């Protein structure tokens, strides 16, 4: 087989690929992260690149116009070099590489006196050995731990046994011992550190974004945090595409290395910013949906998407950073939050733990609106959960100008004058480059209640100068090109709105089906907790107005932000939280919506703004 | 710094070393195992090599004669190349590379119905999952194990989680699960295997020899076994020299890699011979003295030889083969037998477990005569132990023509005619190349009772033609050169006998001191168990006659052979044995002889054949 060199600009990076490999394969090989919602199947049109030089063959694709072709714009996944070739990846195709402040997370404070971290420090002062007291160094340390109140058998890592002898002698028989609470095993030992404390890291592995937080294990204080797009996006925007990708040659290993690269990059960034060295990290808790946790551990997720939808595992032993591949001290324990099933994952058990609904008598609706939508209803006695295939619309996936709630994202929209651009707020305060979930909700609400779109989301083109023909559809100019970062109009199209309606309809249908199954009227809900990456400026009123959230008293709502990350942080700090995670995973009943009678009807009925049944939204009819 | 090439014959292997490095360093670098009892300190004279070509500088050494120098025979550890150089390693310097049948080990049968292996196989037939029964594959397996009687929390290795999903589906929801008894964790899973069983390996890591045995974990049957010289011998013959060597640059890592190379070589050999693939191995139990266990795990043994003689650890968690470096499937659990202290190691707890003395009412003396001598006295109620620096004489160390009890070793000697060569038996039946422990005992006894040596071990040169002047001392021709494998005389010299007397004296003094401390007369001993590498033809009568063993009724004696290996095998097969190992390690009291009043007097008094106090050996005076 021949091979060709592919030079990728603006990075001036050259990779060699075999004949019959696509430009998409070449970009993958280069490690440059790009958008590819469909995972390289020619269906999403996100992997556009420009061929600057060289021969190629492109498969015909409806997402590539004759004008595109004339300008050598091609889909990387459908284009095969016929010679050495030079391409340019346009900005819009590149996965943004910004570090972003994670969403405000759940405002859960943990009292210092109740902190019982995953790995606990014991500062020991031991007796010097003598001929009469000549037990081994390790037995001496264990004796010290027992005096300090540790009961039961105590284990020890090999790495610690290796360092113990010189450590004790160089520090006058004083040392700090780090004990993993789960099994009373010593994971590390160090010099007596006085006031300085070790850090834990909490990581939320979202399908779209990865958020990492450094946590002081003794004060419980968050030191610093950052988020990054999950680089697996190059292999598909949602978990189904990721699972499909995992079945390709080396697909699983590639997905694993991409999520590890993403996590390790956030860790590196925070160590740099916080001035706390990597060596200060002693443990990690990771929380992700079932597929993300499988991919992280290179466990084949294949059967998650085949009926009867069985994950390989839902509970994971505590592993070492080395075994997982995290770039923190190799013997650090790594805990993954437990899943309930294939579509209710560790992110949900974690979010529910953070929400505290498992300790409340109040009948609570918990909604995680992320790349998927998960719904939990219950209280301290019982919990029932389902997952809706909402798709990544509210995180920016499948929306032409969509993006996650990060710097440059339009986060709220208000239309004052139908014929002039709306008033916007932009995260970070600069010029906008896209629209995040909270602004999409605002737009749907504003467009509908101003009469620019009808109940079905179709534009009324005659009513506003801001509605334009865009390619084969209609769109509303959210920000004209003069005011955007990239000098192009930011628009929301009928196709985008249709996607958003499907997404909110799926979530609504989930809530509605579950409540009907339980014979609970909406009005009986005592709390509605919303988690997910919608953006900090989520407007509850407008979310109700489009039929995403139920029309109940507004003081029942609480926006939790990234509850999965909060739960991971709690698990770092609290033995009670770790126990609760397990209990929640055991207690939660999973309802498969695809086989639940009535779900499809609920879904179809919800494909209107706010709903075909206006009586469900009494406060909107006024 | 310059570097020189050293070509090593007869292997035609070339290594490059820095200026100021010795030929000993070069040989180490080449990986060719040689004798070096003193660990390269210029004191033992074992590392002789011949320089064929090239410049060199040799330090003056009393062990190198002018004749040696004239023939370019040098000590590798005292010789430094001044140019590229070619050397030859003579046979006698090379560590024999033969595989040897291990000693007959303790005849302990374990009843099939009481077998409860370290890793137990469960053959499961699981229910196929459905939408109504959609727990994860791993939870399904756990459910199956619980039905099969496993109680408590069940863990699982990452590697098993990775293989579970396809395994179950390809085998109609039947599989074999391998469960580590210690913590109820799944260490492996495989296809339903029907009758075929996994193997465990028992390994005795002796200072001088390593013995490995493959054991069927379900029948308890030994499949095959082999021994090999411990390649660490290149770094010193006894544990003190090994510890000194471990303090050199990379010394610890080198010692670790040498013991791993030795073990892995025995495993490879047995897999080849038995036709059972490496993949059939599922776990291992290793038993060695405290220093050997430290070196295997690359734990610095430094403080074992410095007062107050503290090991880093005496109890080790169950590790994986990967973490230890064993060349068996990486996730196989590896157990190390627990030590009592710096000089009473896992080989002794293992040997005592195998001996069963911990379950007996009889007052028992257990003696392990290996490179060190360890003594245990006690019964099911109590145990007290000590270690005597006997040195490796009875395993062939420090004896000119000494060797371990393996093919080519003279194992028994009888003098019929003082002026003619003695009658010999040779292990394997061929021509001899050295003398093993049992023959050394025979020789001392025969030479003494025939009047060829006196009570102090000095030759009477006039009495026999077989006594010759050998270098600066006298020696007895055990086998004339016409009848030996290598065509040189096999002799025992006055120096050798002095070494043997010191060795037996040290062991005797240990027994005697301990008994006096306990105020127990010799006659009260109800059993005397002898373990160690003395050879299968150990003659009890002669051992008593030279004062190595106490003069008690002969039917109280039992030779156990390699009891450490037997104990390791028992630990593979029996939960009771694993529990007993721990109990023995906790229960045994260690007595440090070097600080015990009277020990030195006992030692000096024992430097005679059989002893200065003949009344201790009433049966000898007849």
């Amino acid at each position: 087989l021949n091979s060709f060199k592919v030079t990728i600009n603006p990075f001036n990076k050259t990779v060699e690929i075999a004949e019959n490999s696509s430009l998409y394969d070449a970009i993958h090989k280069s490690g440059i992260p790009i958008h590819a919602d469909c995972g390289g199947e020619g269906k999403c049109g996100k992997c556009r690149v420009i061929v600057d030089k060289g021969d190629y063959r492109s498969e015909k694709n409806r997402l590539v116009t004759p004008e595109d072709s004339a300008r050598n714009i091609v889909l990387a996944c459908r284009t095969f070099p016929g010679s050495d070739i030079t391409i340019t990846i346009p900005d819009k195709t590149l996965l943004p590489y910004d570090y972003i402040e994670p969403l405000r997370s759940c405002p859960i404070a943990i009292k210092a006196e109740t902190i019982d971290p995953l790995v606990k420090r014991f500062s020991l002062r031991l007796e010097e050995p003598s001929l009469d007291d000549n037990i081994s160094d390790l037995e001496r340390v264990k004796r010290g731990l027992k005096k300090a109140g540790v009961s039961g058998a105590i284990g020890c890592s090999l790495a610690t046994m290796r360092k113990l002898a010189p450590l004790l002698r160089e520090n006058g028989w004083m040392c700090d011992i780090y004990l993993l609470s789960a099994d009373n095993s010593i994971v590390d030992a160090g010099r007596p550190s006085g006031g300085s404390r070790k850090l834990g890291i909490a990581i939320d592995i979202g399908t779209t974004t990865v958020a990492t937080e450094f946590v002081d294990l003794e004060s419980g204080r968050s030191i610093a945090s950052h988020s990054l797009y999950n680089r697996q996006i190059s292999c598909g925007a949602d978990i189904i595409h990721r699972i499909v990708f995992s079945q390709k040659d080396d697909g699983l290993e590639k997905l694993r290395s991409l999520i590890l690269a993403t996590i390790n990059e956030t860790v590196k960034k925070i160590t740099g910013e916080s001035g706390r060295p990597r060596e200060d990290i002693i443990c990690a808790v990771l929380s992700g949906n079932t597929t993300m946790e499988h991919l992280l551990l290179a466990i084949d997720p294949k059967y998650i998407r085949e009926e009867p939808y069985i994950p390989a595992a839902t509970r994971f032993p505590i592993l070492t950073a080395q075994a997982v591949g995290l770039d923190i001290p190799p013997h650090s324990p790594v805990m993954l939050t437990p899943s309930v099933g294939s579509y209710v994952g560790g992110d949900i058990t974690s979010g529910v733990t953070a929400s505290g609904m498992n300790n409340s008598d109040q009948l609570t609706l918990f909604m995680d609106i992320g790349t998927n939508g998960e719904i939990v209803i219950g209280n301290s006695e019982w919990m029932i959960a389902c997952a809706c295939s909402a798709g990544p619309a509210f995180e920016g996936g499948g929306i032409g100008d969509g993006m996650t709630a990060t710097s440059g994202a339009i986060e709220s929209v208000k239309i004052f004058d139908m014929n002039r651009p709306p008033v916007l707020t932009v995260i970070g305060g600069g010029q906008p480059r896209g629209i995040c979930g909270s602004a999409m909700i605002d737009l749907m609400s504003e467009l509908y209640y101003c009469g620019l779109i009808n109940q079905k989301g179709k534009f009324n083109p005659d009513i506003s100068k801001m509605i334009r023909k865009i390619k084969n559809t209609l769109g509303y100019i959210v920000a004209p090109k003069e005011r955007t970062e990239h000098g192009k109009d930011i628009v929301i199209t009928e196709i985008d709105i249709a996607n958003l309606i499907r997404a909110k309809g799926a979530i609504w249908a989930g809530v509605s089906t579950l409540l009907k199954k339980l014979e609970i009227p909406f009005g009986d809900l005592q709390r509605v907790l919303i988690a997910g990456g919608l953006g900090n400026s989520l407007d509850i009123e407008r979310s109700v107005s489009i039929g995403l959230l139920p029309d109940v008293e507004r003081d029942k709502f609480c926006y939790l932000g990234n509850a999965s990350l909060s739960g991971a942080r709690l698990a770092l700090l609290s033995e009670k939280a770790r126990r609760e995670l397990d209990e929640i995973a055991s207690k939660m009943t999973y309802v498969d919506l695809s086989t639940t009678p009535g779900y499809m009807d609920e879904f179809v009925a919800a494909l209107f703004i706010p709903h075909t049944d206006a009586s469900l939204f009494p406060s909107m009819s006024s």
Side-chain angles (χ1 to χ4, degrees), chain A residues 67-103:
Chain A
E67 297 81 53
D68 289 334
S69 299
R71 292 163 58 203
N72 287 324
I73 293 174
V74 299
L75 297 188
C77 69
R78 299 292 107 177
T79 303
F80 305 86
S83 70
D84 290 353
I85 196 168
T86 302
I87 64 172
T88 296
I89 306 182
D91 278 356
K92 190 151 181 175
T93 300
L94 283 175
L95 200 62
Y97 197 71
D98 313 324
Y99 297 98
I100 44 187
E101 279 295 326
L103 291 167

Side-chain angles (χ1 to χ4, degrees), chain A residues 347-358 366 376 383 563 584 588:
Chain A
D347 51 347
I348 301 306
T349 58
S350 183
V352 166
T353 303
S355 80
M357 70 181 274
N358 57 311
F366 174 94
V376 184
M383 281 183 204
I584 290 165
M588 209 179 272

Side-chain angles (χ1 to χ4, degrees), chain A residues 473-502:
Chain A
T473 181
L474 291 171
Y476 172 80
I477 310 294
V478 183
K481 57 178 176 283
E482 306 80 34
R483 303 194 193 159
T484 63
E485 190 187 288
H486 44 50
K488 292 175 200 158
D489 289 338
I490 293 174
V491 300
I492 187 161
T493 67
E494 250 178 34
I495 295 169
D496 296 336
I497 292 171
N499 275 336
L500 288 165
I501 290 179
R502 271 196 300 275

Side-chain angles (χ1 to χ4, degrees), chain A residues 328-342:
Chain A
I328 61 175
H331 301 282
S332 308
V334 175
M335 172 181 160
L336 276 81
T337 55
S339 297
V340 175
S342 277

Side-chain angles (χ1 to χ4, degrees), chain A residues 23-283:
Chain A
L23 292 176
Y24 177 75
D25 298 328
I27 295 168
H28 256 296
K29 194 166 179 186
S30 75
I32 299 167
I34 61 165
H35 282 291
D37 290 358
C38 69
E41 300 291 327
K43 290 177 185 159
C44 71
K46 289 281 178 98
C47 65
R48 280 158 191 267
V49 299
I50 304 155
V51 179
D52 300 320
K53 204 171 69 184
D55 302 333
Y56 64 93
R57 172 177 61 82
S58 271
E59 288 175 10
K60 210 173 154 61
N61 190 292
R62 64 176 180 84
L63 296 165
V64 180
T65 63
E67 297 81 53
D68 289 334
S69 299
R71 292 163 58 203
N72 287 324
I73 293 174
V74 299
L75 297 188
C77 69
R78 299 292 107 177
T79 303
F80 305 86
S83 70
D84 290 353
I85 196 168
T86 302
I87 64 172
T88 296
I89 306 182
D91 278 356
K92 190 151 181 175
T93 300
L94 283 175
L95 200 62
Y97 197 71
D98 313 324
Y99 297 98
I100 44 187
E101 279 295 326
L103 291 167
R104 181 182 65 205
S105 61
C106 212
I108 294 161
I110 178 156
K111 284 190 204 130
E113 60 270 26
T114 65
I115 288 178
D116 189 359
L118 182 61
V119 173
K120 192 167 177 179
R121 177 175 66 143
F122 289 84
S123 293
L124 301 183
R125 180 187 293 271
L126 303 169
E127 288 126 34
E128 202 166 331
S130 66
L131 282 171
D132 294 326
D133 176 21
N134 61 357
I135 56 172
S136 74
D137 294 331
L138 178 57
E139 296 302 317
R140 190 169 303 275
V141 164
K142 289 184 190 172
R143 192 169 73 184
L145 288 171
K146 286 191 173 158
K147 279 189 192 163
V150 178
S151 58
I154 297 168
C156 186
S157 75
L158 184 53
T160 307
M161 289 194 285
R162 285 178 179 151
K163 63 159 77 166
L164 215 49
L167 177 77
L168 294 174
R169 286 163 182 81
E170 283 160 16
N171 295 284
W173 301 92
M174 278 160 57
C175 67
D176 277 5
I177 295 292
Y178 298 93
L179 196 76
L180 174 61
S181 65
D183 65 354
N184 258 2
S185 68
I186 299 169
V187 295
D188 201 5
R191 293 186 300 169
S193 57
S196 91
R197 291 114 154 211
K198 291 278 184 181
L199 303 175
I201 54 179
I203 303 172
D204 167 50
I205 314 170
T207 308
T208 302
T209 53
V210 170
T212 301
E213 187 171 84
F214 279 26
V215 179
D216 182 313
L217 289 174
E218 297 185 27
S219 70
R221 208 165 52 86
S222 170
I223 300 290
S225 58
H226 262 291
S227 294
L228 212 52
Y229 273 103
N230 183 339
R231 290 195 193 172
Q232 289 179 337
I233 288 173
S234 310
C235 306
D238 55 41
I239 53 172
I240 297 304
H241 283 104
R242 304 270 170 92
I243 296 174
V244 170
F245 193 95
S246 74
Q247 301 307 305
K248 297 185 186 181
D249 282 353
D250 304 324
L252 184 57
E253 201 35 61
K254 182 165 278 173
L255 284 161
R256 177 176 187 238
S257 69
L258 288 169
I259 184 61
L260 283 173
T262 310
I263 294 172
N264 289 335
E265 192 68 37
T266 63
V267 171
K268 190 173 157 194
K269 174 73 175 174
I270 306 181
T271 53
E273 276 193 358
S274 65
R276 295 291 295 262
R278 216 178 67 101
E279 288 64 36
D280 277 5
I281 301 170
I282 190 88
C283 61

Side-chain angles (χ1 to χ4, degrees), chain A residues 20 73 77 102 151 158 248 282 300 306 344 368 407 417 441 478 518 603:
Chain A
N20 298 330
I73 293 174
C77 69
S151 58
L158 184 53
K248 297 185 186 181
I282 190 88
D300 189 348
E306 295 182 7
V344 175
D368 188 317
S407 179
D417 180 338
I441 291 167
V478 183
L518 296 165
F603 175 61

